[in-house]
């Protein structure tokens, strides 16, 4: 027998199957992690067996040296998935395979944890033993304890009862009263349990759960989009769907955008399903991650909860995948291979004969358009549970405040609502967007925003250069001294930080305790959980934060949400800015009034009449969708087109520039050739220019931005570009190719 092996070296030159002989007496299966001699010196390298065969294509085939883990670490389905990823994402086979296993498994950097255990030896007469141990009281106590346990007892457990009893245990083994064994243990992350009673589902919840169950039973790999307003009980639908999935003897994967930001969701799952859950995310220790993965692989867990990468979990009886808050950008991988989590999930449930659920209060434009066109099934939860109203949203025009002489962070309205809320012992959340800090340029008097002439995208202020720039086409404009629209001198770069908001709260309400949550205060492990539970316990009345506080938290006592500047994200230089702003505003607003107390939202903005602000005020997703999809169509932005980006970086400025320009010229010719006459209009844009962030740590950066119309020729065009890239990535020190770049600068 022979095996086809993918050697664990990430290099294009060795990205193919190598044949090895399976020596006599070694049983090797597809998916085994093995050592193989490789290259000229026959150095031992790790590899993965991806297929078995009876013959070899050439005579002197080397032998597999040995298997590493006793069980195959990859399922056949995962190997097929990796192969598909190689084609679709133009990545290395091995890069895709590596996503399916814990990183530390490679190079054997993590091992199973064994603990010593002891139990009573066969045929010990306890009465005799206690008599014999009269002079050794510690040994006697330990023996009594083990006898009482009546099963294996671990040394750590015994030591917890009787500190430093290991010597006594060893003596008891020597005397023949105890026998030693060693047992593998699983390192388990601590999990919060959050008790919520299993509710009687509402009619809408029942209908949704039923639809999910029948889609799973049909097993055609259907995708269902669960569109439910904030607080409509989506999580409860997931819980029910998973119950049905387990009852059918199948397994489920639940994905959340960023697990440490959603401890409450995890807590509710743990409470309902206990030990059948495994959790996979980046904040686990290597040992915990390895053991949780192994519990899944060995069939000891049937529900996996995790962030993006958990979509690759090794479940072999997959029935259901749920992607919560499906619109979140964290579902797109930021490193090679740049996969889309939803795409991987859809493929897995199709292969496994299950169903995929995408849930959100604010679905991505892409998902919603697929639901409307019938590609996905649309499930709706239009109301909050228990007849609770959506929070009342008040929009405050900050320009009026300025005219009235109020140039503080808080409008009179927000200050008043804060005072009411805090006065009645309730809690408030204040939200700002740090990413909008001092980036765009606008007029405080008339709301005018400085935009690029070619792109309809706001210009970004670059402090170091004291001028503004378009992050799409590279156009440059000086910072105007007066507003080009109203001629007043109030035009300037815009942005507020969390610290300033905190100061302003203390100034207004000196006695009030606040908590601040942003990337600066959240550096250490567990800091999210600590801060959130402090707020939950009411140790502070006001929580101030960036987009982190927008996610699915459920604080029953929060009745006021203040959005300090609603338009900061609206004017980011990205075509996705309106969509992201609407999502963010709706999500933060959704934090208010989730329990029995009704909620209020105050939304401060300089653009009260901006359609996005109006849709957010009304919490009207449908209208938002129809408006924004038309905007995208007008400008041929995705989903009507697709962006490719190639970034060139080099310490030598001319090398980066020359590399970029040569590459661009050749790429354009190649693309035009591939698109042919029929597709000559498909190439909407191909610009090579200095990158918006022109220097990063001593490297000069250039970039090519390509915009392609979405037609039936698109897939081939992207392949052409990717293949071209493989052959031309040496034009300067660092060349990166991105399909659908998550950021444009
Ligand atoms: P979503 O995920 O849609 O924002 P949740 O699932 O968190 O909503 O539900 C919102 C709140 O309503 C939670 O506190 C939840 O425990 C409660 N809830 C959910 N379903 C029901 C129900 N059928 N009856 C009563 N309360 C419910
Ligand atoms: Zn531009």
């Amino acid at each position: 027998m022979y095996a086809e092996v993918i050697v664990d070296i990430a290099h294009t030159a060795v990205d193919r199957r190598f044949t090895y002989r399976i020596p006599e007496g070694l049983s090797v299966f597809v998916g085994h992690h093995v050592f193989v001699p490789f290259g000229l010196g026959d150095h031992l390298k790790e590899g993965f067996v991806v297929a078995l065969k009876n013959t070899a294509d050439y005579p002197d085939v080397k032998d597999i040296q040995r298997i590493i883990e006793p069980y195959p670490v990859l399922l056949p389905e995962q190997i097929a998935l990796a192969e598909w990823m190689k084609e679709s994402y133009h990545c290395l086979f091995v890069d895709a395979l590596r996503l399916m296993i814990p990183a530390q498994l490679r190079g054997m950097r993590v091992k199973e944890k064994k603990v010593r255990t002891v139990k009573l030896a066969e045929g010990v007469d306890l009465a005799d033993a206690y008599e014999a141990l009269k002079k050794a009281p510690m040994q006697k106590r330990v023996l009594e304890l083990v006898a009482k346990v009546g099963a294996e007892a671990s040394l750590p457990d015994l030591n917890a009862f009787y500190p430093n009893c290991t010597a006594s245990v060893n003596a008891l083994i020597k005397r023949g009263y105890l026998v030693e064994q060693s047992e593998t243990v699983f390192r388990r992350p601590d999990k919060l349990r959050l008790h919520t009673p299993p509710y009687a589902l509402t009619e809408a919840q029942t209908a949704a759960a039923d639809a999910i169950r029948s889609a799973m039973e049909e097993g055609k790999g259907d995708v269902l989009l669960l569109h439910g307003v904030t607080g409509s009980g989506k999580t409860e639908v997931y819980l029910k769907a998973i119950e049905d999935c387990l009852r059918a003897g199948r397994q489920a994967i639940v994905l959340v955008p960023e697990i440490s930001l959603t401890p409450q969701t995890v807590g509710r799952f743990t409470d309902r399903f206990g030990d059948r859950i495994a959790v996979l995310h980046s904040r686990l220790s290597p040992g915990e991650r390895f053991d949780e993965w192994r519990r899944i692989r060995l069939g000891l867990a049937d529900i996996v909860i995790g962030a993006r990468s958990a979509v690759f979990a090794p479940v072999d009886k997959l029935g259901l995948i749920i992607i919560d808050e499906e619109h979140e950008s964290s579902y797109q991988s930021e490193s090679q291979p740049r996969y889309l989590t939803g795409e991987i999930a859809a493929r897995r449930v199709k292969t496994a004969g299950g169903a995929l659920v995408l849930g959100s209060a604010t679905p991505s434009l892409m998902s919603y358009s697929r639901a409307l066109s019938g590609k996905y099934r649309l499930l709706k939860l239009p109301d909050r549970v228990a007849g609770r109203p959506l929070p009342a949203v008040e929009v405050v025009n900050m320009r009026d405040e300025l005219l009235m002489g109020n140039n503080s962070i808080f409008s009179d309205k927000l200050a008043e609502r804060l005072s009411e809320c805090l006065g009645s012992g309730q809690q408030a959340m204040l939200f700002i967007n740090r990413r909008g800090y001092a980036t765009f340029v606008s007029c405080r008097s008339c709301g005018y925003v400085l935009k690029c002439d070619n792109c309809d995208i706001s210009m970004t202020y670059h402090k170091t250069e004291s001028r503004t720039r378009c992050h799409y086409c590279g156009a440059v404009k000086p910072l105007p001294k007066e507003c080009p629209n109203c001629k007043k001198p109030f035009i300037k770069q815009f942005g507020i930080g969390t610290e300033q908001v905190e100061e302003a709260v203390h100034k207004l309400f000196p006695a009030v305790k606040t908590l601040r949550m942003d990337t600066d205060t959240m550096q250490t492990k567990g800091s999210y959980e600590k801060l959130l539970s402090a707020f939950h316990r009411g140790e502070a009345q006001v929580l101030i934060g960036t987009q982190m506080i927008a996610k699915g938290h459920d604080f029953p006592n929060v009745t006021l949400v203040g959005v300090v500047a609603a338009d900061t994200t609206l004017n980011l230089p990205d075509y996705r800015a309106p969509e992201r702003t609407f999502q963010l505003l709706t999500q933060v607003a959704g934090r208010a009034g989730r329990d029995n107390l009704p909620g209020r939202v105050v939304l401060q903005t300089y653009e009260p009449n901006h359609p996005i602000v109006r849709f957010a005020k009304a919490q009207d997703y449908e209208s938002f969708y129809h408006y924004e999809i038309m905007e995208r169509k007008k400008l041929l932005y995705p989903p009507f087109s697709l962006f490719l980006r190639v970034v060139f970086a080099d310490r030598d400025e001319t090398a980066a520039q020359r590399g970029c320009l040569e590459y661009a010229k050749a790429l354009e010719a190649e693309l035009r050739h591939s698109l042919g006459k029929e597709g000559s209009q498909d190439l909407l844009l191909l610009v090579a220019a200095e990158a918006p962030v022109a220097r990063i740590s001593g490297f000069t950066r250039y970039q090519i931005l390509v915009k392609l119309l979405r037609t039936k020729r698109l897939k081939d065009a992207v392949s052409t570009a990717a293949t071209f890239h493989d052959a031309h990535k040496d034009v300067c020190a660092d060349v990166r190719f991105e399909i659908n770049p998550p950021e444009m600068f």
Side-chain angles (χ1 to χ4, degrees), residues 199-200 202 205 231-236 268 385 388 554 594:
Y199 300 99
T202 63
Q205 283 174 319
S232 59
K234 292 185 288 297
T235 312
E236 213 60 39
R268 279 165 73 180
V385 291
R388 285 170 204 152
D554 206 354
R594 294 174 64 86

Side-chain angles (χ1 to χ4, degrees), residues 34 98 331 389 600 625 711:
V34 292
R98 284 174 179 181
Y331 285 123
R600 268 189 189 288
Y625 171 82
T711 64

Side-chain angles (χ1 to χ4, degrees), residues 136-398:
M138 183 54 121
Q139 292 183 35
K140 181 160 173 265
R141 264 179 270 153
V142 171
L143 189 63
E144 281 168 351
L145 182 62
V146 176
K148 212 158 95 194
V149 170
E152 283 178 33
S154 76
L155 269 276
D157 285 350
L158 294 174
N159 273 292
F161 269 93
Y162 301 120
N164 309 317
C165 71
T166 305
S168 308
V169 173
N170 290 339
L172 288 167
I173 294 170
K174 227 168 164 183
R175 286 173 188 259
Y177 295 139
L178 295 181
V179 288
E180 175 160 4
Q181 250 149 358
S182 86
E183 181 193 15
T184 308
V185 290
F186 292 99
R187 286 151 287 198
R188 305 289 311 276
D190 289 334
K191 276 183 254 121
L192 174 85
R193 277 191 183 227
L194 200 77
H195 185 66
T196 49
Y199 300 99
L201 295 189
T202 63
E203 228 169 273
Q205 283 174 319
T206 310
D210 285 349
I212 297 170
R213 195 194 51 236
S214 50
M216 186 179 65
E217 284 167 356
E218 279 167 34
K220 293 188 307 215
D222 278 358
V223 183
L224 303 102
L225 178 64
L226 178 61
H227 177 214
V229 299
T230 55
S232 59
K234 292 185 288 297
T235 312
E236 213 60 39
V237 173
Y238 304 153
L239 290 164
K240 177 67 174 56
I242 290 171
E243 240 172 61
D244 293 336
C245 174
L246 299 191
R247 197 168 297 133
R250 305 177 73 173
Q251 295 164 299
I253 298 175
V254 183
L255 303 173
V256 291
E258 158 66 272
I259 208 150
S260 53
L261 295 180
T262 42
Q264 301 195 16
T265 310
V266 181
R268 279 165 73 180
F269 276 86
T270 314
D271 181 57
R272 215 56 77 77
F273 299 111
D275 268 352
R276 305 174 74 178
I277 290 183
V279 180
L280 285 180
H281 58 89
S282 58
R283 284 179 175 249
L284 302 180
S285 71
E288 287 168 348
R289 203 173 333 166
F290 177 57
D291 286 353
E292 288 288 85
W293 176 86
R294 223 154 38 92
R295 284 179 59 239
I296 303 164
R297 179 63 192 87
L298 302 177
L300 301 173
D302 350 82
I303 305 164
V304 181
I305 303 187
R308 175 174 77 217
S309 60
V311 76
F312 298 107
V315 292
D316 59 0
K317 287 180 302 201
L318 185 63
L320 197 60
I321 299 182
I322 292 168
I323 304 185
D324 190 26
E325 309 286 2
E326 67 90 25
H327 61 277
E328 286 286 336
S329 52
S330 61
Y331 285 123
Q332 177 168 2
S333 160
E334 285 135 24
S335 51
Q336 271 294 350
R338 289 173 184 273
Y339 61 90
L340 301 174
T341 308
E343 220 165 62
I344 302 286
R347 190 153 182 97
R348 284 199 77 180
V349 296
K350 185 139 202 144
T351 314
L356 167 63
V357 179
L358 307 174
S360 176
T362 52
S364 67
L365 288 176
M366 186 65 122
S367 297
Y368 206 73
S369 70
R370 285 182 179 157
L372 292 186
S373 74
K375 256 192 189 161
Y376 294 171
R377 281 160 69 179
L378 186 59
L379 309 173
K380 288 192 178 203
L381 301 178
D383 305 303
R384 283 192 162 181
V385 291
R388 285 170 204 152
L390 279 170
V393 182
E394 297 172 284
V395 172
V396 179
N397 183 350
M398 292 305 276

